[in-house]
Amino acid sequence: MAHDIVFFLAPDDEAAAAVRLRVPGAAFESVACRFIEPDSAIAEWDMYFQEPSAEAPPVEQLLGWAWPKWVTAPLNDGVEVFALPKRLTRALASASSAELEELAGHWTTRLRSEDGDDMTDDDLLAVLQGVARLAASAVNTGGGLYSWSF
């Protein structure tokens, strides 16, 4: 489980990769959260928009989904920078409040089933709403949406 996670906007993969050794700072619009796995969250969000379901996805289905690509190769320091898929960025940008609430419910259910009492105490709906705002900005500016985690 990643300790610190920052979803952020960057103009391109090169600019996103440049923050690998430091937390994306004030130069980047961002949303922070803690104690989640950003790659599985990104995959789950993408699955929600591509294959809607009334239930949270089973772990086996989630593990078989296309996972986000690394912007920088992972090293032994635990820092990862992922690019959110363009289709997910567009889906988040145009998501309704009801869709974000439903997705947050699915995400919370899955995390609670996996992590129990060790689940993040972040407001997952607020995280999703913040990431959706970033996605809208990425779509409007032509930039990309990324996650940095340690």
Side-chain angles (χ1 to χ4, degrees):
M1 178 177 307
H3 185 264
D4 292 313
I5 304 92
V6 179
F7 293 96
F8 67 101
L9 292 177
D12 54 38
D13 288 358
E14 185 178 331
V19 304
R20 188 200 166 314
L21 296 178
R22 55 185 164 71
V23 178
F28 297 95
E29 287 184 68
S30 64
V31 172
C33 57
R34 299 172 55 91
F35 305 117
I36 66 163
E37 291 295 340
D39 52 351
S40 63
I42 293 165
E44 183 172 356
W45 301 346
D46 190 42
M47 181 183 295
Y48 172 84
F49 289 108
Q50 296 303 310
E51 295 183 6
S53 170
E55 302 293 325
V59 173
E60 302 78 32
Q61 185 181 8
L62 183 61
L63 293 175
W65 196 256
W67 288 61
K69 72 175 180 98
W70 276 301
V71 175
T72 58
L75 301 174
N76 291 334
D77 62 4
V79 175
E80 298 177 312
V81 179
F82 292 106
L84 276 71
K86 294 288 185 195
R87 72 180 185 190
L88 174 58
T89 301
R90 287 189 302 273
L92 286 166
S94 62
S96 68
S97 294
E99 287 174 313
L100 294 175
E101 288 174 16
E102 183 177 57
L103 176 53
H106 287 257
W107 188 26
T108 300
T109 298
R110 184 183 63 79
L111 290 177
R112 188 166 288 121
S113 73
E114 290 178 5
D115 301 338
D117 291 338
D118 292 332
M119 189 178 118
T120 181
D121 59 357
D122 282 318
D123 179 341
L124 297 180
L125 176 57
V127 170
L128 270 171
Q129 290 167 331
V131 173
R133 282 190 297 276
L134 293 176
S137 183
V139 167
N140 290 334
T141 64
L145 187 52
Y146 301 88
S147 76
W148 175 96
S149 62
F150 174 73

